Amino acid sequence: MTNLQKPIGSKFGAASTAAEVIQGIDLSGKTAIVTGGYSGLGLETARALRSAGAQVIVPARDLNKAATALAGIGGVQIEAMDLIDPASINAFAQRFLASGQPLHILVNSAGIMAGPLTRDARGYESQFATNHLGHFQLVRQLWATLLEANDARVVSVSSWGHRRSPVIFEDPNFERREYEAWAAYGQSKTANILFALELDKRGKADGVRAFSLHPGSIVGTGLQKHVSREELRAFGVIDENGNQILDPARQMKTVEQGAATSVWCAVSEQLDSMGGVYCENCEVAELYDDKSPQSFGVMPYAVDPEAAERLWTLSEQFTL
């Protein structure tokens, strides 16, 4: 396996914000789609891209909630879409294709985390279906518009939570093993990384590059609705009074800091000749090494090209 996971000397760092990363970037004439762009990290990502002049489209399951959240950001277009509903994804994609626009930036930021076992209409486990399969289908449906851009980027928001599980190809939907919420979340986040790796391999010759990332541990995005206060305390992200602990050096960030890496992956000129890498703190992350004092990085199984190709094939079968 060729290791592309080497820092490249970014001028930004753990405490950088999305506003700082986007400063001086001109996205006039560019079109961006941000899933989950009406809450948490996605909202801040949409705000940054729009501030640089991009036309920003936010697909949303709850149109009223999206309209309220995005009211302060002028010019953002809201469209109906539900990542767990294949027909909804196809309908959104067809509307975008009909507009004739090229797609320059796609940030796959929406997701769910550590909920109880539920399944979509096809019987697929909901975290795998929402976090990975929905975005896989969306990219496949929008592929022609990414090609039209001639220089497009797809950004896959993963998590350090990917360390909790590789993709279990023999039983991705917990049909033959006991369901464990964090293992299911970890599997879906590993899938986000593998997807970016294989997508970049397939798209780079045509100008489509892909990146994945860990934004940091951020409280208050709405992602933690299934996580108890006791769990958050055990994870060390809130104190005994329930207040968020902020320490960017340990990946505990504000929303503005968390969105910075998504924005960096979407617009940084330093990444112009790169792709398929997993990033943290506005930088290409290193491979995780349990013998190293570094506490983050990417698990080797999440950047395994054979696993990435296998996941692509499986995802095609699941989204026929």
Side-chain angles (χ1 to χ4, degrees):
M1 182 191 324
T2 301
N3 180 17
L4 300 176
Q5 295 296 148
K6 305 285 188 183
I8 61 173
S10 168
K11 64 181 179 179
F12 300 105
S16 298
T17 65
E20 291 168 346
V21 170
I22 205 73
Q23 189 172 5
I25 301 291
D26 183 9
L27 297 178
S28 300
K30 306 285 189 181
T31 299
I33 293 174
V34 182
T35 73
Y38 59 105
S39 66
L41 298 170
L43 176 59
E44 193 60 29
T45 300
R47 187 193 315 278
L49 297 176
R50 183 70 189 120
S51 74
Q55 178 188 359
V56 177
I57 300 169
V58 172
R61 181 175 55 185
D62 187 331
L63 296 177
N64 291 331
K65 182 179 178 180
T68 299
L70 292 161
I73 308 174
V76 175
Q77 181 180 339
I78 302 169
E79 291 281 347
M81 190 187 80
D82 186 348
L83 278 169
I84 209 166
D85 180 354
S88 173
I89 296 169
N90 290 345
F92 167 78
Q94 288 303 313
R95 291 195 301 274
F96 185 81
L97 288 166
S99 74
Q101 302 174 78
L103 177 59
H104 303 88
I105 297 170
L106 172 58
V107 182
N108 293 325
S109 191
I112 57 176
M113 182 174 76
L117 177 60
T118 57
R119 300 186 183 277
D120 70 3
R122 302 165 294 191
Y124 302 151
E125 188 275 318
S126 60
Q127 293 190 77
F128 191 70
T130 302
N131 298 347
H132 168 60
L133 292 176
H135 286 124
F136 178 87
Q137 181 176 340
L138 179 64
V139 169
R140 293 288 303 283
Q141 290 293 316
L142 293 174
W143 188 247
T145 67
L146 290 164
L147 293 177
E148 286 174 18
N150 295 317
D151 182 18
R153 291 191 189 182
V154 178
V155 180
S156 184
V157 179
S158 181
S159 168
W160 173 229
H162 79 275
R163 74 193 185 279
R164 294 180 177 273
S165 178
V167 174
I168 307 301
F169 289 101
E170 296 73 21
D171 188 21
N173 291 304
F174 292 84
E175 294 167 319
R176 297 182 297 278
R177 56 184 168 132
E178 184 177 354
Y179 178 75
E180 202 285 307
W182 285 110
Y185 178 69
Q187 174 179 249
S188 74
K189 295 290 102 178
T190 294
N192 292 156
I193 303 170
L194 292 171
F195 174 47
L197 181 63
E198 182 67 14
L199 176 61
D200 189 77
K201 185 184 85 171
R202 292 169 180 256
K204 61 185 176 182
D206 296 309
V208 181
R209 306 309 303 260
F211 304 87
S212 59
L213 66 107
H214 169 49
S217 298
I218 299 127
V219 177
T221 64
L223 190 62
Q224 297 89 9
K225 68 180 182 179
H226 295 296
V227 185
S228 69
R229 178 166 169 167
E230 290 72 23
E231 284 182 293
L232 292 174
R233 183 87 172 91
F235 294 155
V237 295
I238 62 172
D239 62 22
E240 63 274 11
N241 298 314
N243 299 313
Q244 181 181 4
I245 297 172
L246 294 175
D247 185 354
R250 292 192 293 142
Q251 301 273 22
M252 293 184 285
K253 303 182 180 185
T254 65
V255 171
E256 293 80 8
Q257 291 167 338
T261 304
S262 295
V263 174
W264 185 73
C265 288
V267 305
S268 174
E269 293 180 353
Q270 286 183 284
L271 297 172
D272 279 351
S273 61
M274 298 187 65
V277 291
Y278 171 88
C279 302
E280 296 169 342
N281 298 328
C282 302
E283 179 60 276
V284 178
E286 296 185 77
L287 285 176
Y288 175 75
D289 180 356
D290 60 6
K291 299 180 179 63
S292 168
Q294 71 175 16
S295 57
F296 290 89
V298 61
M299 302 300 287
Y301 59 67
V303 288
D304 178 352
E306 291 184 3
E309 186 172 357
R310 186 178 182 186
L311 176 65
W312 189 281
T313 299
L314 180 71
S315 302
E316 285 181 324
Q317 294 168 354
F318 278 7
T319 56
L320 289 175

